[in-house]
Amino acid sequence: MHRGLMAAVLVWLGTAAWAAAPQVVRQDLQPGGFYVAKVAAGATVKLNGTEVETGPGGELVLGFDRNAEPRQVLAVCPAQAACVETILQLKPRSYVTQNVTKVPAKTVEPDPAQVARVKADNAATAAARAKAREGARWRTAYMDAFVLPLEAPTSGVFGSRRTYNGQERSWHRGHDLAAPTGTPVRAPADGIVRLARDTFMSGNLIMLDHGGALTSVYAHLDSMDVKVGDGVKAGEIVGRVGTTGRSSGPHLHWGMYWQNTAIDPILWVRPPARTGAR
Ligand SMILES: [Zn+2]
């Protein structure tokens, strides 16, 4: 092939691929991790064949399950161009077993009335999360860098298998920070309060909606400083650390969810991983 023509073909291919390829903003490619990028506005985006909503400017956030397959297939299909597939290769991750003792016995083996209360709490939480998902494409706070809700030692990590008072329970869907009762808890990013509820298991529980079906939760709070529908800015105080609900001492349980998938919140405030992209 003629040299100049070949160069032109390569440039053309490059331009076409560039137009559709996602531009990574931040990512941590591992189970429990996330991917934030920008794609062509109006493009149809699919993760492993399932459509994902994007923001008005092509903003995109994805979260990966604790047990996600290592190979994630992201397809971006602009309106007038061919789809571009990007393989997101997740690095392996393992989880520890953690034993939690001295939690109130009533929260380990709840009676029928308490079971009913837990059911109502779960329904309210699911409804709040569904509301965040409905408006997923209109808020894009996830594009901004996140800040820690408070500075304190870690007392529980995401994904660990847990036993309570020696009885095995499901894995830990969040990151625990051990801080004294009354320590202010700050919003890690802009958001809208979707839930502020006194729950049986999680105690006083706040949920923030950051757009893109990305929500964060703050559990066992001593007090709640916001109400449902409030808009909060990154760094704003939403509540105070406590030990309400199923808790063995004052700490913040910080959880993050993408759609209904629990992801690891602490990864959002660590330096972004640069390996394994595309
Ligand atoms: Zn926790």
Side-chain angles (χ1 to χ4, degrees):
M1 192 188 282
H2 187 272
R3 242 185 173 175
L5 181 62
M6 190 154 136
V9 166
L10 286 174
V11 165
W12 179 80
L13 282 173
T15 309
W18 170 250
Q23 290 172 263
V24 179
V25 173
R26 259 173 300 131
Q27 64 180 0
D28 200 328
L29 300 179
Q30 59 174 306
F34 67 92
Y35 179 84
V36 176
K38 210 153 177 196
V39 301
T44 301
V45 174
K46 287 181 179 179
L47 178 65
N48 304 320
T50 302
E51 199 168 328
V52 176
E53 291 213 76
T54 56
E59 297 87 352
L60 173 69
V61 57
L62 306 173
F64 308 114
D65 185 73
R66 177 187 190 262
N67 303 313
E69 291 294 324
R71 191 175 185 272
Q72 301 283 317
V73 183
L74 175 65
V76 178
C77 308
Q80 305 295 333
C83 300
V84 168
E85 240 180 44
T86 303
I87 304 302
L88 305 175
Q89 192 67 36
L90 308 189
K91 61 190 180 209
R93 180 170 186 176
S94 57
Y95 303 99
V96 296
T97 297
Q98 198 173 25
N99 302 306
V100 181
T101 54
K102 293 185 280 187
V103 296
K106 64 165 186 172
T107 61
V108 179
E109 288 177 80
D111 66 34
Q114 290 161 343
V115 169
R117 203 182 147 198
V118 168
K119 220 171 153 185
D121 290 340
N122 291 346
T125 307
R129 198 157 281 137
K131 186 136 194 183
R133 199 165 174 178
E134 274 169 33
R137 65 175 273 111
W138 304 115
R139 281 176 306 283
T140 57
Y142 55 82
M143 296 297 281
D144 301 328
F146 279 52
V147 296
L148 269 172
L150 56 86
E151 299 258 2
T154 293
S155 56
V157 295
F158 173 88
S160 56
R161 280 172 292 271
R162 284 200 144 176
T163 64
Y164 284 91
N165 294 352
Q167 293 184 41
E168 201 153 293
R169 287 290 185 274
S170 65
W171 55 275
H172 187 225
R173 290 167 166 78
H175 188 94
D176 292 343
L177 296 165
T181 295
T183 305
V185 175
R186 296 171 190 280
D190 292 2
I192 293 175
V193 180
R194 292 290 175 214
L195 190 75
R197 183 183 169 98
D198 170 15
T199 68
F200 182 72
M201 288 293 188
S202 302
N204 288 322
L205 176 68
I206 288 173
M207 182 195 294
L208 301 180
D209 170 2
H210 305 291
L214 183 77
T215 55
S216 59
V217 292
Y218 308 83
H220 312 300
L221 298 174
D222 193 59
S223 63
M224 300 186 278
D225 294 27
V226 291
K227 56 184 194 310
V228 171
D230 284 354
V232 295
K233 290 281 171 199
E236 210 174 303
I237 295 173
V238 296
R240 311 270 165 178
V241 171
T243 185
T244 54
R246 187 165 73 183
S247 169
S248 57
H251 75 283
L252 173 68
H253 170 93
W254 179 23
M256 193 108 77
Y257 291 78
W258 177 68
Q259 299 183 348
N260 291 321
T261 300
I263 58 175
D264 188 352
I266 203 70
L267 301 179
W268 288 76
V269 290
R270 281 180 179 162
R274 292 287 180 205
T275 52
R278 303 197 188 175

